[in-house]
Amino acid sequence: MTTTTAPPVADLLGLAGLGTMPALMRQLSGLAGCTSPVRLDGWRTEINETTGQVLHHLESADLPAGNLLLRCGNRRVTRCPSCAETYRRDTYHLITAGLVGGKGTPETVAAHPRVFATFTAPSFGPVHNRPGSGTCRCGTAHPADDPRLGSPLNPEAYDYEGAVLWNAHAGKLWARFSIHLRREIAKLAGLSQRAFKDVARVSFGKVAEYQKRGAIHFHAVIRLDGPTGGDTPPPPWATPDLLTDAIRAAAGRTDIPGPLIDGRQHRFAFGRQLDIRTIRNADFAGPVQITERAVAAYIAKYATKGAETATGTLDRPVRLLAEIAQHDIPEHARRLIRTCWNLGARPELAELRLRAWAHMLGFRGHFSTKTRRYSTTLGALRDARTAWRRAQTLERLHGPDAPAVEESTLVVAHWVFAGLGLTRGEAWLTQALQPAPGTEGEPTHD
């Protein structure tokens, strides 16, 4: 990989003088391009519980970098592109498994009714936009990269309070929607709530995305299964059309009460724009094609992005309000952060923790969530990757006949935090070692 930064010659010469450059490069290559690894001091010992034999002992001081280096695991592409790419791929495989099977989910799930739905936020005031036809209300045909997009036409009249509180309650609103959805499906099928649980189950995987105006909306794959999930067929009455009708009815019924602030009683509901599309198989040849792979790639893309990507706000918590004056962020994002900070001082809103989530413009939910039986889990995917890497390490050390790890192996370890990040020389080597990221064949969407 070609780097655009000049190599830190003095740092590299210092590393070379230690005589551990090849070993250091092997250690750094294990980071797979992570730019902000966690540095740990300590030791790790593997002992055969049966014989008491020490199988392996590791001291951090003996490692080329002087510490054990662990990937940071940050999902945000603005913080660590490499770890975010891993998170994106895991999300892609998780969503795909719930659509076509694999990773412990049967392939028969592809025959279950599935839709891709997008739930938007209500309006908090007119903003600069790019309508499908015509021009923005300001009279301008904005280009796609116009920084004014998403900002209010009249900032003084924009409902910043409502926008921030909507984000703070979006997770609760989705939870209420999921309850109404099950009720609406049962109603359309002519069943009671108790009877519905005996014959069908709703499974979903969703991701939160920020619109340019800073409001959260949700993209979700929603699937109808049999009573135990994807491993049982749905009842005969379960169709994509019935699922679509139930989603529309449930979204229309869903609203939750908000706080009373200065005489104003807030209530929260989804916006009027609700897009629902049936997910087709990959070989579908109809006029409107939205396939499993396209949906999975779309959701995975947004799993690594936060408010900073859409609105230009910060990608880390705000400790003091004065900090925002030191950052070059748009005025609209600045006002949203300031509104979070001001509302966060109210005792009646303490549970929303608006100051802690000011950089997220009030949203404090998980970006990517799923029901328990939608498909595999991110944890299972991480465990499988760890096991694979361990097997690769053993094979590198002992050859193709590497011994399997015994179940009777006792691992004793003690690690303490020693810092974050890389030295200039380590960072340059890590960048030079990392190849351009691939896409594993999934389609990309701008």
Side-chain angles (χ1 to χ4, degrees):
M1 176 179 176
T2 302
T3 179
T4 57
T5 58
V9 178
D11 287 22
L12 293 175
L13 287 175
L15 292 172
L18 297 175
T20 59
M21 184 66 79
L24 176 62
M25 294 183 72
R26 285 194 297 272
Q27 184 181 2
L28 293 175
S29 67
L31 295 175
C34 176
T35 56
S36 185
V38 179
R39 307 184 79 102
L40 299 176
D41 280 336
W43 51 268
R44 181 180 190 272
T45 303
E46 296 179 9
I47 305 171
N48 186 307
E49 284 188 295
T50 303
T51 66
Q53 177 188 3
V54 175
L55 303 176
H56 184 259
H57 180 74
L58 172 70
E59 293 275 354
S60 60
D62 296 333
L63 293 171
N67 302 112
L68 179 67
L69 303 180
L70 299 179
R71 287 166 59 86
C72 68
N74 200 305
R75 69 162 191 86
R76 294 175 183 269
V77 69
T78 56
R79 297 287 293 275
C80 182
S82 174
C83 289
E85 174 65 9
T86 299
Y87 189 90
R88 183 192 68 81
R89 293 185 183 189
D90 282 354
T91 302
Y92 174 80
H93 290 302
L94 184 152
I95 296 297
T96 300
L99 293 172
V100 301
K103 313 293 184 184
T105 303
E107 294 181 358
T108 52
V109 78
H112 295 198
R114 299 94 43 89
V115 300
F116 179 55
T118 297
F119 302 79
T120 60
S123 173
F124 304 106
V127 298
H128 294 278
N129 63 0
R130 301 178 71 222
S133 60
T135 60
C136 175
R137 294 187 186 183
C138 70
T140 302
H142 296 289
D145 59 351
D146 192 330
R148 290 178 294 173
L149 288 174
S151 62
L153 271 64
N154 181 2
E156 302 307 320
Y158 192 77
D159 184 9
Y160 281 97
E161 181 177 281
V164 162
L165 291 174
W166 154 264
N167 285 345
H169 288 81
K172 288 184 178 180
L173 189 66
W174 175 268
R176 182 66 58 85
F177 161 77
S178 65
I179 294 172
H180 284 312
L181 177 58
R182 292 172 177 86
R183 292 173 178 171
E184 291 296 334
I185 294 174
K187 183 190 300 183
L188 292 174
L191 300 172
S192 67
Q193 291 295 301
R194 184 183 298 274
F196 172 76
K197 293 180 181 179
D198 293 335
V199 298
R201 174 185 293 264
V202 176
S203 299
F204 67 79
K206 73 171 176 66
V207 68
E209 181 201 356
Y210 282 90
Q211 297 172 306
K212 285 187 177 296
R213 58 183 171 135
I216 282 288
H217 66 180
F218 296 117
H219 300 293
V221 171
I222 304 176
R223 192 183 71 207
L224 258 178
D225 299 327
T228 63
D231 58 346
T232 51
W237 50 258
T239 65
D241 288 341
L242 180 143
L243 181 56
T244 297
D245 291 342
I247 291 171
R248 291 195 182 281
R253 285 187 56 192
T254 301
D255 72 339
I256 58 175
L260 176 66
I261 300 178
D262 297 335
R264 177 187 177 186
Q265 178 64 59
H266 288 273
R267 291 197 71 86
F268 304 106
F270 289 117
R272 288 179 295 177
Q273 292 181 322
L274 174 63
D275 183 61
I276 308 173
R277 305 184 191 185
T278 299
I279 300 173
R280 308 294 185 182
N281 294 324
D283 57 356
F284 176 70
V288 179
Q289 184 174 359
I290 178 168
T291 64
E292 297 110 337
R293 287 170 63 84
V295 167
Y298 191 84
I299 288 181
K301 176 180 70 172
Y302 286 111
T304 64
K305 298 181 178 181
E308 70 281 353
T309 306
T311 68
T313 185
L314 305 177
D315 61 2
R316 61 196 70 206
V318 179
R319 303 301 179 189
L320 296 170
L321 186 59
E323 289 180 23
I324 64 173
Q326 304 171 13
H327 297 279
D328 182 19
I329 59 177
E331 179 59 26
H332 181 52
R334 197 182 304 273
R335 288 192 179 213
L336 287 167
I337 292 175
R338 190 178 293 115
T339 302
C340 284
W341 201 264
N342 292 338
L343 291 176
R346 290 177 171 265
E348 67 271 26
L349 301 180
E351 68 170 11
L352 300 180
R353 301 185 64 223
L354 289 171
R355 289 190 171 184
W357 297 104
H359 66 298
M360 301 277 280
L361 311 183
F363 180 65
R364 57 198 173 100
H366 294 288
F367 265 81
S368 178
T369 60
K370 71 174 191 67
T371 53
R372 186 164 57 92
R373 300 190 183 181
Y374 172 80
S375 69
T376 186
T377 66
L378 292 175
L381 293 175
R382 285 193 293 268
D383 290 344
R385 184 165 52 251
T386 299
W388 181 86
R389 285 175 176 167
R390 182 174 178 81
Q392 293 294 305
T393 300
L394 289 173
E395 183 175 340
R396 206 163 45 239
L397 293 174
H398 304 286
D401 298 324
V405 177
E406 298 290 342
E407 292 184 2
S408 59
T409 299
L410 173 67
V411 178
V412 182
H414 175 71
W415 300 106
V416 294
F417 179 74
L420 285 173
L422 301 165
T423 66
R424 292 180 66 243
E426 290 170 347
W428 189 88
L429 287 172
T430 299
Q431 187 180 16
L433 287 167
Q434 181 65 10
T439 58
E440 293 195 352
E442 67 264 37
T444 57
H445 301 265
D446 294 331

